[in-house]
Amino acid sequence: MAPHAIRDIDVGLLRTFVAVAETRRMTTAARVVSVSQGAVSQQIKRLEALLRVTLFARMADAARLTRDGEKLMPLAHRMIALNDEVAAQMGTIDFSGEVRLGVPHDVVGRLMPPILRAFSREHPGVLITLVSERTAVLRKLLRERSIDLALMTEPTRAERGQHLMTDQLVWVGAKGGEASTQRPLAVALGENGCAFRALAVRALNSAKIEWRAICQVGSMEPVFATLEADMAVAPFLLRTVPDRLSVLSDPALPGLPRYHINLRVAAGQSSGSALELGRHIREGFARRYS
């Protein structure tokens, strides 16, 4: 009997497989591995043909692992990890130095910790200096090259490679609170440069709701305290709402639009460490928040 032919497995195919398995969507996986959706589909077909199994049960809105796909997952992780260990041991780039990262107040505490923790574990030689400011201030710092890259909450979606996430703006208040029923409605809007201020004001005025602004500060803790005390309501991105506060369903409150978190990089030459952090942020958002 002839021996079985040895089939070499491309680790790149395994990376794509893991990305689809973890995100459950071809479009999201495409962003994770930085290829087109069509390329992701072709790579999965190649891997299935190579292994002679079906890895995913395709559904209208998701890709679900088959039993063979579930069997492959831990093996794929082991092969990818071994590949990366070999590459690291054989002299890949040793990232080091300082990277100055700008992040809006509402995004830094809720969305960034797991991404930054993973980056620091992989690149302990890189010092990340966080600058937490309003988007308008971060845009100015980026132009001046006082920071290397920045996450910005913006009304328009950036082009491919810079767009991280789209989220719904919602009204937030105290759990079981009554501030949303009071008139004039007390609203914590932040400073004049707050990204959501103009949108909230426009929505309130269009709905002809009598309102007044309170707690006009740049940091989040006074806003949180005001909301927890049931003194006001405020607009937040849905994914940034702290557990101690509640998304309000009061039908009297006007609807708010969707908003975007985009990654912007300072113009000119960027350090390798800054580019690597940008890659980690894009992949982290694609895996965790898409």
Side-chain angles (χ1 to χ4, degrees):
M1 180 181 295
H4 292 292
I6 297 175
R7 291 166 285 171
D8 293 330
I9 300 174
D10 183 348
V11 176
L13 300 182
L14 294 177
R15 290 189 195 277
T16 300
F17 163 73
V18 169
V20 175
E22 291 184 344
T23 64
R24 301 189 66 188
R25 284 173 173 77
M26 295 284 185
T27 52
T28 307
R31 292 199 295 273
V32 172
V33 296
S34 301
V35 299
S36 68
Q37 181 180 346
V40 168
S41 180
Q42 288 299 317
Q43 288 176 10
I44 294 301
K45 289 179 181 177
R46 283 175 55 198
L47 185 59
E48 289 179 326
L50 179 67
L51 299 178
R52 300 171 190 167
V53 296
T54 299
L55 298 172
F56 293 99
R58 273 74 164 185
M59 297 179 289
D61 61 342
R64 181 173 56 82
L65 284 171
T66 63
R67 293 190 66 176
D68 285 321
E70 292 174 350
K71 180 180 177 181
L72 178 60
M73 271 294 280
L75 300 172
H77 277 295
R78 283 164 56 190
M79 285 190 67
I80 292 170
L82 182 59
N83 176 87
D84 293 350
E85 182 181 352
V86 170
Q89 292 293 331
M90 298 306 294
T92 55
I93 298 173
D94 182 18
F95 293 103
S96 61
E98 179 186 11
V99 179
R100 299 156 299 177
L101 172 64
V103 188
H105 298 299
D106 52 338
V107 173
V108 64
R110 193 69 176 170
L111 301 181
M112 291 304 294
I115 295 173
L116 295 177
R117 183 163 56 246
F119 179 85
S120 295
R121 281 201 302 263
E122 187 167 333
H123 302 298
V126 179
L127 170 65
I128 300 176
T129 299
L130 279 176
V131 179
S132 183
E133 273 290 356
R134 293 174 287 117
T135 288
V137 175
L138 294 177
R139 189 173 290 111
K140 177 176 180 293
L141 294 175
L142 208 58
R143 285 197 306 267
E144 297 170 348
R145 294 191 60 83
S146 297
I147 54 178
D148 299 296
L149 61 165
L151 277 68
M152 296 185 179
T153 47
E154 299 177 313
T156 56
R157 177 182 176 130
E159 59 272 20
R160 182 182 176 91
Q162 293 185 325
H163 174 257
L164 298 177
M165 186 179 80
T166 298
D167 203 8
Q168 180 66 47
L169 273 176
V170 294
W171 292 106
V172 174
K175 291 181 179 292
E178 300 179 350
S180 66
T181 66
Q182 305 300 314
R183 297 296 183 272
L185 178 69
V187 186
L189 287 176
E191 296 177 312
N192 286 329
C194 173
F196 308 145
R197 184 184 180 100
L199 291 170
V201 169
R202 189 180 308 122
L204 292 167
N205 290 340
S206 296
K208 296 182 169 53
I209 293 177
E210 185 182 2
W211 63 277
R212 61 189 178 92
I214 67 171
C215 194
Q216 301 185 64
V217 296
S219 61
M220 296 305 299
E221 287 308 319
V223 174
F224 292 150
T226 300
L227 297 178
E228 286 185 83
D230 198 25
M231 296 168 56
V233 300
F236 274 72
L237 289 174
L238 180 59
R239 284 190 178 272
T240 68
V241 177
D243 294 335
R244 60 186 189 267
L245 297 173
S246 178
V247 176
L248 302 177
S249 57
D250 189 334
L253 293 174
L256 295 170
R258 292 168 72 81
Y259 225 69
H260 308 278
I261 298 179
N262 298 321
L263 178 66
R264 306 293 189 181
V265 180
Q269 186 86 21
S270 295
S271 70
S273 296
L275 294 175
E276 178 70 359
L277 176 58
R279 182 183 70 81
H280 267 256
I281 291 172
R282 284 190 293 272
E283 293 185 1
F285 266 80
R287 289 182 185 277
R288 296 174 179 274
Y289 307 128
S290 292

